[in-house]
Amino acid sequence: MEREISELNRKIQVPGLTQIKEEREQKIVAFEESKVTEGVPVTPEKDWLTPIFDFLKQNALTIIGIFTLVLGIGYFVKYAIDRNWIGETARVGIGLLVGGAIMLTGHFLRKNYTVFSSIITGGGIAVLYFTTTIAFREYHLFSQNTAFVITCLITLLSIVLSYYYKSEILIIFSLFGGFLAPLMISTGQSNYPFLFTYLTVLNIGMLIIVFLKNWKSVGWVSFIFTNIYLFYWTAEKTEILSIYFHIITYIIFYAFALQNYIKKGILPSYDILMLVLTNFTSIIGLVYIFNTLQYEPVILFPVGFALVNLFLLFREYSKRILE
């Protein structure tokens, strides 16, 4: 009886029926997994350039308006000079008061108009920079050292306000002013060690802000301005002292490029680009100095930078193997 039942079951079973059932079960499981996956929102990779372009598109008229206001104040001061309405010291005082008033207006507007207040505050900072420049270059009211101290204080004030207001736009205004300040108070006499000591302090401040706020655009602005100054110095007056500043600049911006890697263990494409540009610009500058001054071996820094990058690559490779 049992034999007959087993034979009947064997005849009833269709060849491949078990395989069909397994495939059907796999499809059901895959469908359930896809439903679960669809319910999880995919977080896109943050692109720091997009907010900047959007800001420029949405606030172009406001930026033009603030720029026009700054120019208007400048022309008014010039008109007052031509007409001899007020003395030179009083003119500078009025410029400083106007700049402070604009910044104060931005402060009161920041709760309801965040972006607009940042632009207004940046315009006030620009007025302070231009007023200091005119007071030094045109009126000779104070020495170059005093003018430099004033511009440094303006830069420091703007950076503190940027951090307090949590405004990336305002700190970009601050950096522009900070990097242009040496040109504003320049007398034509080159003092590159003093200039790059100032730029190094400015870049260290930038690095601290980036690590605290993750404002990547700030680092890129600093990188562009620093390399323009550094390459101009290297080309105009090639000397051994510039090697130290090339190395310091390399360390600062290498650390800037590794910020996300240190904090989150990731290395986005724009950080990789910064690593490439930092190595490239440093190697070009240092090799040029060595060739011009006929120092040996020229290959010293290219090999040294290659070893640094190989160490980073080996660490990342080892980390992925362990995972």
PDB file of all heavy atoms in Angstrom, residues 62-88:
ATOM      1  N   THR A  62      20.270  92.310  -5.260  1.00  0.00           N
ATOM      2  CA  THR A  62      20.652  92.811  -3.938  1.00  0.00           C
ATOM      3  C   THR A  62      22.145  93.088  -3.866  1.00  0.00           C
ATOM      4  O   THR A  62      22.581  94.115  -3.332  1.00  0.00           O
ATOM      5  CB  THR A  62      20.263  91.789  -2.852  1.00  0.00           C
ATOM      6  OG1 THR A  62      18.869  91.484  -2.973  1.00  0.00           O
ATOM      7  CG2 THR A  62      20.541  92.344  -1.469  1.00  0.00           C
ATOM      8  N   ILE A  63      22.946  92.171  -4.417  1.00  0.00           N
ATOM      9  CA  ILE A  63      24.402  92.350  -4.419  1.00  0.00           C
ATOM     10  C   ILE A  63      24.777  93.592  -5.223  1.00  0.00           C
ATOM     11  O   ILE A  63      25.623  94.398  -4.804  1.00  0.00           O
ATOM     12  CB  ILE A  63      25.083  91.094  -4.995  1.00  0.00           C
ATOM     13  CG1 ILE A  63      24.839  89.887  -4.076  1.00  0.00           C
ATOM     14  CG2 ILE A  63      26.578  91.321  -5.176  1.00  0.00           C
ATOM     15  CD1 ILE A  63      25.331  88.577  -4.644  1.00  0.00           C
ATOM     16  N   ILE A  64      24.133  93.763  -6.390  1.00  0.00           N
ATOM     17  CA  ILE A  64      24.402  94.944  -7.211  1.00  0.00           C
ATOM     18  C   ILE A  64      24.021  96.210  -6.455  1.00  0.00           C
ATOM     19  O   ILE A  64      24.719  97.236  -6.499  1.00  0.00           O
ATOM     20  CB  ILE A  64      23.640  94.850  -8.544  1.00  0.00           C
ATOM     21  CG1 ILE A  64      24.191  93.688  -9.382  1.00  0.00           C
ATOM     22  CG2 ILE A  64      23.743  96.153  -9.324  1.00  0.00           C
ATOM     23  CD1 ILE A  64      23.384  93.391 -10.620  1.00  0.00           C
ATOM     24  N   GLY A  65      22.888  96.144  -5.717  1.00  0.00           N
ATOM     25  CA  GLY A  65      22.452  97.298  -4.946  1.00  0.00           C
ATOM     26  C   GLY A  65      23.444  97.687  -3.858  1.00  0.00           C
ATOM     27  O   GLY A  65      23.757  98.870  -3.676  1.00  0.00           O
ATOM     28  N   ILE A  66      23.949  96.689  -3.124  1.00  0.00           N
ATOM     29  CA  ILE A  66      24.933  96.980  -2.072  1.00  0.00           C
ATOM     30  C   ILE A  66      26.216  97.522  -2.680  1.00  0.00           C
ATOM     31  O   ILE A  66      26.829  98.464  -2.158  1.00  0.00           O
ATOM     32  CB  ILE A  66      25.214  95.701  -1.246  1.00  0.00           C
ATOM     33  CG1 ILE A  66      23.955  95.264  -0.490  1.00  0.00           C
ATOM     34  CG2 ILE A  66      26.349  95.943  -0.264  1.00  0.00           C
ATOM     35  CD1 ILE A  66      23.435  96.275   0.497  1.00  0.00           C
ATOM     36  N   PHE A  67      26.636  96.940  -3.808  1.00  0.00           N
ATOM     37  CA  PHE A  67      27.843  97.413  -4.486  1.00  0.00           C
ATOM     38  C   PHE A  67      27.670  98.861  -4.928  1.00  0.00           C
ATOM     39  O   PHE A  67      28.576  99.701  -4.785  1.00  0.00           O
ATOM     40  CB  PHE A  67      28.141  96.517  -5.684  1.00  0.00           C
ATOM     41  CG  PHE A  67      29.396  96.873  -6.423  1.00  0.00           C
ATOM     42  CD1 PHE A  67      30.639  96.641  -5.864  1.00  0.00           C
ATOM     43  CD2 PHE A  67      29.325  97.458  -7.680  1.00  0.00           C
ATOM     44  CE1 PHE A  67      31.802  96.988  -6.541  1.00  0.00           C
ATOM     45  CE2 PHE A  67      30.476  97.802  -8.366  1.00  0.00           C
ATOM     46  CZ  PHE A  67      31.715  97.566  -7.800  1.00  0.00           C
ATOM     47  N   THR A  68      26.487  99.180  -5.454  1.00  0.00           N
ATOM     48  CA  THR A  68      26.191 100.552  -5.870  1.00  0.00           C
ATOM     49  C   THR A  68      26.205 101.502  -4.675  1.00  0.00           C
ATOM     50  O   THR A  68      26.681 102.645  -4.769  1.00  0.00           O
ATOM     51  CB  THR A  68      24.822 100.607  -6.564  1.00  0.00           C
ATOM     52  OG1 THR A  68      24.799  99.665  -7.644  1.00  0.00           O
ATOM     53  CG2 THR A  68      24.541 101.999  -7.105  1.00  0.00           C
ATOM     54  N   LEU A  69      25.677 101.029  -3.540  1.00  0.00           N
ATOM     55  CA  LEU A  69      25.674 101.856  -2.323  1.00  0.00           C
ATOM     56  C   LEU A  69      27.094 102.183  -1.886  1.00  0.00           C
ATOM     57  O   LEU A  69      27.409 103.328  -1.537  1.00  0.00           O
ATOM     58  CB  LEU A  69      24.930 101.126  -1.210  1.00  0.00           C
ATOM     59  CG  LEU A  69      24.916 101.802   0.172  1.00  0.00           C
ATOM     60  CD1 LEU A  69      24.187 103.135   0.098  1.00  0.00           C
ATOM     61  CD2 LEU A  69      24.271 100.889   1.211  1.00  0.00           C
ATOM     62  N   VAL A  70      27.970 101.165  -1.907  1.00  0.00           N
ATOM     63  CA  VAL A  70      29.369 101.385  -1.516  1.00  0.00           C
ATOM     64  C   VAL A  70      30.029 102.394  -2.450  1.00  0.00           C
ATOM     65  O   VAL A  70      30.735 103.316  -2.016  1.00  0.00           O
ATOM     66  CB  VAL A  70      30.135 100.043  -1.516  1.00  0.00           C
ATOM     67  CG1 VAL A  70      31.625 100.278  -1.285  1.00  0.00           C
ATOM     68  CG2 VAL A  70      29.582  99.121  -0.434  1.00  0.00           C
ATOM     69  N   LEU A  71      29.792 102.232  -3.782  1.00  0.00           N
ATOM     70  CA  LEU A  71      30.363 103.179  -4.739  1.00  0.00           C
ATOM     71  C   LEU A  71      29.803 104.586  -4.523  1.00  0.00           C
ATOM     72  O   LEU A  71      30.533 105.576  -4.630  1.00  0.00           O
ATOM     73  CB  LEU A  71      30.070 102.712  -6.166  1.00  0.00           C
ATOM     74  CG  LEU A  71      30.846 101.498  -6.672  1.00  0.00           C
ATOM     75  CD1 LEU A  71      30.425 101.164  -8.098  1.00  0.00           C
ATOM     76  CD2 LEU A  71      32.354 101.754  -6.618  1.00  0.00           C
ATOM     77  N   GLY A  72      28.498 104.660  -4.213  1.00  0.00           N
ATOM     78  CA  GLY A  72      27.883 105.966  -3.982  1.00  0.00           C
ATOM     79  C   GLY A  72      28.505 106.685  -2.806  1.00  0.00           C
ATOM     80  O   GLY A  72      28.757 107.903  -2.863  1.00  0.00           O
ATOM     81  N   ILE A  73      28.745 105.933  -1.736  1.00  0.00           N
ATOM     82  CA  ILE A  73      29.390 106.538  -0.563  1.00  0.00           C
ATOM     83  C   ILE A  73      30.801 107.006  -0.922  1.00  0.00           C
ATOM     84  O   ILE A  73      31.247 108.087  -0.517  1.00  0.00           O
ATOM     85  CB  ILE A  73      29.423 105.531   0.606  1.00  0.00           C
ATOM     86  CG1 ILE A  73      27.995 105.272   1.098  1.00  0.00           C
ATOM     87  CG2 ILE A  73      30.284 106.059   1.745  1.00  0.00           C
ATOM     88  CD1 ILE A  73      27.908 104.152   2.112  1.00  0.00           C
ATOM     89  N   GLY A  74      31.492 106.184  -1.727  1.00  0.00           N
ATOM     90  CA  GLY A  74      32.835 106.573  -2.148  1.00  0.00           C
ATOM     91  C   GLY A  74      32.837 107.848  -2.966  1.00  0.00           C
ATOM     92  O   GLY A  74      33.669 108.750  -2.755  1.00  0.00           O
ATOM     93  N   TYR A  75      31.886 107.961  -3.900  1.00  0.00           N
ATOM     94  CA  TYR A  75      31.804 109.168  -4.720  1.00  0.00           C
ATOM     95  C   TYR A  75      31.384 110.381  -3.892  1.00  0.00           C
ATOM     96  O   TYR A  75      31.805 111.520  -4.158  1.00  0.00           O
ATOM     97  CB  TYR A  75      30.829 108.950  -5.874  1.00  0.00           C
ATOM     98  CG  TYR A  75      31.445 108.224  -7.040  1.00  0.00           C
ATOM     99  CD1 TYR A  75      31.018 106.949  -7.394  1.00  0.00           C
ATOM    100  CD2 TYR A  75      32.471 108.804  -7.792  1.00  0.00           C
ATOM    101  CE1 TYR A  75      31.591 106.268  -8.457  1.00  0.00           C
ATOM    102  CE2 TYR A  75      33.050 108.136  -8.850  1.00  0.00           C
ATOM    103  CZ  TYR A  75      32.611 106.869  -9.185  1.00  0.00           C
ATOM    104  OH  TYR A  75      33.181 106.197 -10.232  1.00  0.00           O
ATOM    105  N   PHE A  76      30.538 110.137  -2.896  1.00  0.00           N
ATOM    106  CA  PHE A  76      30.141 111.247  -2.026  1.00  0.00           C
ATOM    107  C   PHE A  76      31.336 111.795  -1.254  1.00  0.00           C
ATOM    108  O   PHE A  76      31.512 113.016  -1.129  1.00  0.00           O
ATOM    109  CB  PHE A  76      29.063 110.785  -1.044  1.00  0.00           C
ATOM    110  CG  PHE A  76      28.732 111.809   0.008  1.00  0.00           C
ATOM    111  CD1 PHE A  76      27.944 112.906  -0.299  1.00  0.00           C
ATOM    112  CD2 PHE A  76      29.231 111.668   1.305  1.00  0.00           C
ATOM    113  CE1 PHE A  76      27.660 113.860   0.671  1.00  0.00           C
ATOM    114  CE2 PHE A  76      28.947 112.613   2.267  1.00  0.00           C
ATOM    115  CZ  PHE A  76      28.155 113.722   1.951  1.00  0.00           C
ATOM    116  N   VAL A  77      32.161 110.879  -0.754  1.00  0.00           N
ATOM    117  CA  VAL A  77      33.375 111.304  -0.043  1.00  0.00           C
ATOM    118  C   VAL A  77      34.280 112.094  -0.987  1.00  0.00           C
ATOM    119  O   VAL A  77      34.848 113.128  -0.623  1.00  0.00           O
ATOM    120  CB  VAL A  77      34.107 110.086   0.545  1.00  0.00           C
ATOM    121  CG1 VAL A  77      35.450 110.498   1.125  1.00  0.00           C
ATOM    122  CG2 VAL A  77      33.261 109.428   1.624  1.00  0.00           C
ATOM    123  N   LYS A  78      34.421 111.585  -2.227  1.00  0.00           N
ATOM    124  CA  LYS A  78      35.251 112.291  -3.207  1.00  0.00           C
ATOM    125  C   LYS A  78      34.685 113.677  -3.510  1.00  0.00           C
ATOM    126  O   LYS A  78      35.425 114.665  -3.635  1.00  0.00           O
ATOM    127  CB  LYS A  78      35.342 111.464  -4.491  1.00  0.00           C
ATOM    128  CG  LYS A  78      36.263 112.068  -5.548  1.00  0.00           C
ATOM    129  CD  LYS A  78      36.322 111.199  -6.771  1.00  0.00           C
ATOM    130  CE  LYS A  78      37.297 111.801  -7.790  1.00  0.00           C
ATOM    131  NZ  LYS A  78      36.942 113.147  -8.212  1.00  0.00           N
ATOM    132  N   TYR A  79      33.373 113.752  -3.643  1.00  0.00           N
ATOM    133  CA  TYR A  79      32.738 115.053  -3.910  1.00  0.00           C
ATOM    134  C   TYR A  79      32.974 116.013  -2.753  1.00  0.00           C
ATOM    135  O   TYR A  79      33.223 117.213  -2.956  1.00  0.00           O
ATOM    136  CB  TYR A  79      31.236 114.843  -4.134  1.00  0.00           C
ATOM    137  CG  TYR A  79      30.499 116.078  -4.587  1.00  0.00           C
ATOM    138  CD1 TYR A  79      30.574 116.512  -5.913  1.00  0.00           C
ATOM    139  CD2 TYR A  79      29.734 116.815  -3.690  1.00  0.00           C
ATOM    140  CE1 TYR A  79      29.901 117.651  -6.330  1.00  0.00           C
ATOM    141  CE2 TYR A  79      29.053 117.965  -4.096  1.00  0.00           C
ATOM    142  CZ  TYR A  79      29.139 118.379  -5.423  1.00  0.00           C
ATOM    143  OH  TYR A  79      28.476 119.504  -5.834  1.00  0.00           O
ATOM    144  N   ALA A  80      32.888 115.488  -1.526  1.00  0.00           N
ATOM    145  CA  ALA A  80      33.151 116.316  -0.351  1.00  0.00           C
ATOM    146  C   ALA A  80      34.591 116.806  -0.335  1.00  0.00           C
ATOM    147  O   ALA A  80      34.870 117.932   0.092  1.00  0.00           O
ATOM    148  CB  ALA A  80      32.841 115.524   0.921  1.00  0.00           C
ATOM    149  N   ILE A  81      35.503 115.971  -0.821  1.00  0.00           N
ATOM    150  CA  ILE A  81      36.915 116.371  -0.894  1.00  0.00           C
ATOM    151  C   ILE A  81      37.082 117.525  -1.887  1.00  0.00           C
ATOM    152  O   ILE A  81      37.759 118.522  -1.604  1.00  0.00           O
ATOM    153  CB  ILE A  81      37.787 115.181  -1.320  1.00  0.00           C
ATOM    154  CG1 ILE A  81      37.784 114.100  -0.237  1.00  0.00           C
ATOM    155  CG2 ILE A  81      39.222 115.613  -1.598  1.00  0.00           C
ATOM    156  CD1 ILE A  81      38.430 112.815  -0.671  1.00  0.00           C
ATOM    157  N   ASP A  82      36.462 117.350  -3.065  1.00  0.00           N
ATOM    158  CA  ASP A  82      36.599 118.379  -4.113  1.00  0.00           C
ATOM    159  C   ASP A  82      36.006 119.716  -3.678  1.00  0.00           C
ATOM    160  O   ASP A  82      36.519 120.779  -4.036  1.00  0.00           O
ATOM    161  CB  ASP A  82      35.926 117.903  -5.407  1.00  0.00           C
ATOM    162  CG  ASP A  82      36.606 116.664  -5.980  1.00  0.00           C
ATOM    163  OD1 ASP A  82      37.796 116.462  -5.666  1.00  0.00           O
ATOM    164  OD2 ASP A  82      35.953 115.897  -6.724  1.00  0.00           O
ATOM    165  N   ARG A  83      34.919 119.697  -2.933  1.00  0.00           N
ATOM    166  CA  ARG A  83      34.247 120.925  -2.516  1.00  0.00           C
ATOM    167  C   ARG A  83      34.785 121.494  -1.204  1.00  0.00           C
ATOM    168  O   ARG A  83      34.415 122.611  -0.814  1.00  0.00           O
ATOM    169  CB  ARG A  83      32.742 120.648  -2.345  1.00  0.00           C
ATOM    170  CG  ARG A  83      32.044 120.239  -3.631  1.00  0.00           C
ATOM    171  CD  ARG A  83      31.904 121.419  -4.569  1.00  0.00           C
ATOM    172  NE  ARG A  83      31.273 121.047  -5.819  1.00  0.00           N
ATOM    173  CZ  ARG A  83      30.938 121.922  -6.764  1.00  0.00           C
ATOM    174  NH1 ARG A  83      31.195 123.203  -6.587  1.00  0.00           N
ATOM    175  NH2 ARG A  83      30.380 121.519  -7.891  1.00  0.00           N
ATOM    176  N   ASN A  84      35.644 120.719  -0.543  1.00  0.00           N
ATOM    177  CA  ASN A  84      36.199 121.140   0.752  1.00  0.00           C
ATOM    178  C   ASN A  84      35.112 121.464   1.776  1.00  0.00           C
ATOM    179  O   ASN A  84      35.181 122.457   2.513  1.00  0.00           O
ATOM    180  CB  ASN A  84      37.119 122.369   0.567  1.00  0.00           C
ATOM    181  CG  ASN A  84      38.379 122.022  -0.177  1.00  0.00           C
ATOM    182  OD1 ASN A  84      38.968 120.964   0.056  1.00  0.00           O
ATOM    183  ND2 ASN A  84      38.787 122.886  -1.094  1.00  0.00           N
ATOM    184  N   TRP A  85      34.118 120.610   1.811  1.00  0.00           N
ATOM    185  CA  TRP A  85      33.028 120.819   2.764  1.00  0.00           C
ATOM    186  C   TRP A  85      33.465 120.484   4.192  1.00  0.00           C
ATOM    187  O   TRP A  85      33.116 121.177   5.136  1.00  0.00           O
ATOM    188  CB  TRP A  85      31.826 119.956   2.380  1.00  0.00           C
ATOM    189  CG  TRP A  85      31.103 120.456   1.163  1.00  0.00           C
ATOM    190  CD1 TRP A  85      31.305 121.637   0.515  1.00  0.00           C
ATOM    191  CD2 TRP A  85      30.065 119.777   0.461  1.00  0.00           C
ATOM    192  NE1 TRP A  85      30.469 121.749  -0.553  1.00  0.00           N
ATOM    193  CE2 TRP A  85      29.680 120.621  -0.614  1.00  0.00           C
ATOM    194  CE3 TRP A  85      29.419 118.559   0.627  1.00  0.00           C
ATOM    195  CZ2 TRP A  85      28.690 120.267  -1.514  1.00  0.00           C
ATOM    196  CZ3 TRP A  85      28.416 118.210  -0.270  1.00  0.00           C
ATOM    197  CH2 TRP A  85      28.056 119.053  -1.324  1.00  0.00           C
ATOM    198  N   ILE A  86      34.190 119.415   4.295  1.00  0.00           N
ATOM    199  CA  ILE A  86      34.619 118.956   5.627  1.00  0.00           C
ATOM    200  C   ILE A  86      36.097 118.579   5.563  1.00  0.00           C
ATOM    201  O   ILE A  86      36.652 118.328   4.492  1.00  0.00           O
ATOM    202  CB  ILE A  86      33.787 117.745   6.096  1.00  0.00           C
ATOM    203  CG1 ILE A  86      33.757 116.657   5.013  1.00  0.00           C
ATOM    204  CG2 ILE A  86      32.378 118.147   6.472  1.00  0.00           C
ATOM    205  CD1 ILE A  86      33.032 115.409   5.412  1.00  0.00           C
ATOM    206  N   GLY A  87      36.724 118.533   6.721  1.00  0.00           N
ATOM    207  CA  GLY A  87      38.129 118.175   6.782  1.00  0.00           C
ATOM    208  C   GLY A  87      38.359 116.696   6.524  1.00  0.00           C
ATOM    209  O   GLY A  87      37.431 115.877   6.538  1.00  0.00           O
ATOM    210  N   GLU A  88      39.622 116.339   6.321  1.00  0.00           N
ATOM    211  CA  GLU A  88      39.971 114.955   5.979  1.00  0.00           C
ATOM    212  C   GLU A  88      39.649 113.997   7.116  1.00  0.00           C
ATOM    213  O   GLU A  88      39.097 112.909   6.892  1.00  0.00           O
ATOM    214  CB  GLU A  88      41.457 114.881   5.618  1.00  0.00           C
ATOM    215  CG  GLU A  88      41.805 115.662   4.349  1.00  0.00           C
ATOM    216  CD  GLU A  88      43.281 115.642   4.055  1.00  0.00           C
ATOM    217  OE1 GLU A  88      44.057 115.226   4.962  1.00  0.00           O
ATOM    218  OE2 GLU A  88      43.684 116.041   2.952  1.00  0.00           O
TER     219      GLU A  88
END
